[in-house]
Every structure is written in structure tokens, then in C-alpha cells.
Amino acid sequence: MKPTVSVIIPNKNCLPSLPQAIESIWQQNIDNIEVIIVDDGSTDGSWKWICQLCRKHNNIIALKLNGEGTSTARNHAVRVASGTYIAFLDADKFWYKNKLQQQIKFMKEKPQLGICFTNCELINDKSEVTHDSFTHSNYFKQQIVQHSADAFVIPKGAAAIFSENIIGTSTVLVRRDLYLALDGFDHNIKLVSDWDLWLKIALHTAIGCIKKPLAACLRKKTIIPNRIKQLKAVEQVIRRYERKIKTIDPYAVRSAHAHLSESYAEYYRQVARPTQALACDIKALCEQPASRRFRNILTDLKLTIQMSGYATI
């Protein structure tokens, strides 16, 4: 029997968390499920553990790559997969019970959907839930209030996710035929290839959202060197899609630029460069006024004055 869904798990040195991710798949209450684990050059014993797991479960396929990157690993796995739907699950994340069941039901009820995603809870190193993915998104908080149903089709979906990348890869369920038709993840877009793919899909199909947090991930501390590379990648994606998105909703383009400027400001505060942070926060405020951005400007001014005082001592 053809699998209803193929679960794609890229793994690189995630052996401590991989068993929890796998266990969460068995809690989905779906009989015809396929699991494809791609080990991308692990050195922590993951491959041996994965091979042992395959001997216990005939619906698990193990693939081996040699450090080719997450995007390539996912694309390779999808080409091997045979499910009608594709679900992504990172090796350091896990799903709550019946996550897939709810998404499959939603997509069957709404055949115009090519992709849907759920909310996701962020967990600290004490296993405490700190917040969810929608907490700081004004757009999705408004959508949740406006829609009484637990799941809804997002109005102007491409513009909504261009405005702010709110989709966690491990919350996504997508039709495999659509994924393949659009060539999957672009490995040339480093660090934000997922956002690029969601936008590519959203320009071709409707997007669905489930309000509930049905996945969880361990919140990691931002690594400063990678952060600036990530922001440069975000700029690349904005340039790629902003002309098309502007025809759908010009406000979404201003919002995307505002979020980018705000992210740069946050980075500059982290590296003790408040003057640059101030310039970015002013730009963000001009692009999309918000009270938090005004507060950020006051913080930047205070830090700039403090650093100027230290410099004259």
C-alpha cells in the first residue's frame, strides 16, 4: 500500500535527540507511514543507531550522505519517498500526538491547499515552554482572533509569509507532487532555504494554518557569526520575491523590510554597536511603525550615550 505520508528527517550529529523525534512519529496514529532518515556525515554514532533502527522497522529507509547540507539531504529524501504527502521533522525537534492526523484531515477537507503548517512551542534547556512561534507575530495573532476554526486558509498566503517568516520546517505538511514540480529546496540559499521554498509554493497554491502548537523545538542560543550570514540570506530572498509580492500586497513588502532592519538592529545591540542599531531601528520604524520599535530606539539612544560617556573617561 502506498504510504499516505513520508516523514523526512535530516540528521547530523543529533543522536541525543533523534530517538525522541522518532518516538513522536509513532504517536501520530497513522498506519501507512514512511520514514526516511538522511544521515549527512555524522561522527557521533548516529549512523550505527539508525541502521539498528531500520532492522526493527520495515517502514524506515536510511540514506547516507557526506556533509552535503540539509537542503540537499531533504531533496534527496523526497525523491526517494513514495508518500502522497511529505512531512519534515528535524532530528532535534519532535511532534505532539496526532499532529499529522490533524493536518492530513485539514488538507483533505480543503483540496485547494498544497501546504499547511502548525504553531510550534519553544522549549528552554529546563524543558519549560517559553512561548510559541505565533507569540511575536501581530499578523498571526490577528488571524487567530479572526478565525473561530482551529484551522484556516490564510488570506493572501504568499504575502503573509513574506511579511514575516513564521513557518517552522518541522510543522509543515506538503503535497509531494507540488514539491517535486517546484524543485524543492534551493541549496544556493543558505540558512533560509526553507523560507524561500514556502514562498515559491505559496505563489502557486493556497496555504493552510493550524492554530495549535503541534510541534516543539529546543530554543538555541543565536550564534553571532551565523546570524549575520542568515540576515544576508534573508535579504537575498526578499530581493527574489518582493516584486511579485508587491502586486499582491505592498504592505507585506514594507513589513518584510521592517523586520529585516529590526533584526539587524538586534544583532548590532548584541555586538555592542548601538549607533548602527539606532540607524536600523529608525529605518524599521519608518517602514512599519510599532511601539516596540520606538522603545528599541530609546534603548539604542541610552546605550549610545553610555558608550560615549565611557569613551570620554
Side-chain angles (χ1 to χ4, degrees):
M1 181 184 294
K2 179 181 177 180
T4 301
V5 59
S6 297
V7 181
I8 309 300
I9 305 179
N11 173 78
K12 185 168 185 177
N13 295 328
C14 289
L15 184 56
S17 57
L18 184 57
Q20 184 178 27
I22 297 295
E23 182 58 34
S24 74
I25 297 173
W26 309 141
Q27 296 176 9
Q28 300 308 304
N29 291 324
I30 297 175
D31 294 329
N32 52 339
I33 193 168
E34 176 182 67
V35 181
I36 303 177
I37 309 173
V38 189
D39 188 79
D40 193 26
S42 293
T43 57
D44 66 345
S46 290
W47 180 245
K48 181 180 178 180
W49 186 87
I50 292 167
C51 291
Q52 291 173 343
L53 191 69
C54 287
R55 288 193 282 270
K56 296 178 182 177
H57 301 276
N58 59 12
N59 61 339
I60 296 180
I61 299 171
L63 304 175
K64 182 74 170 172
L65 297 178
N66 188 27
E68 297 183 36
T70 304
S71 295
T72 299
R74 287 176 178 145
N75 287 342
H76 184 51
V78 175
R79 286 192 291 269
V80 172
S82 54
T84 301
Y85 300 102
I86 297 294
F88 300 103
L89 178 59
D90 290 343
D92 59 349
K93 299 175 179 64
F94 62 93
W95 293 332
Y96 294 143
K97 189 175 181 180
N98 296 330
K99 179 255 190 194
L100 289 182
Q101 197 175 59
Q102 293 181 55
Q103 286 184 288
I104 292 169
K105 179 175 181 291
F106 179 38
M107 291 189 71
K108 286 182 176 179
E109 290 173 350
K110 303 288 185 180
Q112 72 269 36
L113 293 175
I115 184 173
C116 74
F117 65 98
T118 80
N119 201 346
C120 178
E121 289 185 331
L122 287 300
I123 297 175
N124 63 21
D125 54 6
K126 297 178 182 178
S127 299
E128 300 167 335
V129 175
T130 57
H131 61 283
D132 62 61
S133 296
F134 296 171
T135 297
H136 301 300
S137 171
N138 290 332
Y139 176 87
F140 279 93
K141 284 191 291 187
Q142 291 171 3
Q143 291 297 313
I144 288 171
V145 171
Q146 292 173 12
H147 292 85
S148 57
D150 288 336
F152 61 93
V153 179
I154 303 172
K156 300 180 181 178
I161 64 171
F162 183 83
S163 172
E164 185 176 4
N165 181 21
I166 200 72
I167 303 178
T169 304
S170 294
T171 74
V172 166
L173 185 72
V174 62
R175 290 200 334 256
R176 179 174 178 268
D177 59 348
L178 179 61
Y179 180 99
L180 291 174
L182 296 175
D183 295 325
F185 292 96
D186 184 345
H187 65 269
N188 294 310
I189 303 287
K190 303 298 183 183
L191 300 175
V192 291
S193 61
D194 55 344
W195 187 34
D196 174 75
L197 178 58
W198 314 147
L199 287 166
K200 189 163 53 174
I201 291 173
L203 288 168
H204 286 81
T205 186
I207 306 177
C209 175
I210 294 179
K211 298 177 183 179
K212 296 178 182 177
L214 296 177
C217 70
L218 181 66
R219 186 170 176 81
K220 299 176 182 177
K221 294 182 179 179
T222 301
I223 302 172
I224 297 296
N226 283 346
R227 182 57 173 160
I228 199 70
K229 291 178 182 178
Q230 184 182 49
L231 294 174
K232 292 295 183 184
V234 169
E235 288 186 70
Q236 185 180 358
V237 173
I238 288 176
R239 288 194 299 270
R240 176 176 284 190
Y241 292 100
E242 63 182 334
R243 289 182 65 182
K244 291 182 179 179
I245 299 299
K246 198 170 185 177
T247 64
I248 301 171
D249 185 358
Y251 178 81
V253 175
R254 296 197 301 273
S255 179
H257 281 285
H259 280 108
L260 177 62
S261 296
E262 189 174 36
S263 297
Y264 267 112
E266 182 183 6
Y267 166 76
Y268 285 129
R269 278 193 295 273
Q270 287 180 318
V271 295
R273 293 163 65 181
T275 303
Q276 288 91 332
L278 177 61
C280 292
D281 274 324
I282 291 173
K283 185 178 179 182
L285 184 67
C286 293
E287 288 165 336
Q288 187 186 52
S291 57
R292 73 173 183 275
R293 290 174 181 145
F294 181 73
R295 291 194 297 269
N296 287 340
I297 287 172
L298 295 178
T299 298
D300 297 335
L301 285 168
K302 182 179 179 181
L303 291 172
T304 300
I305 292 170
Q306 287 176 346
M307 291 192 70
S308 298
Y310 293 145
T312 58
I313 295 175

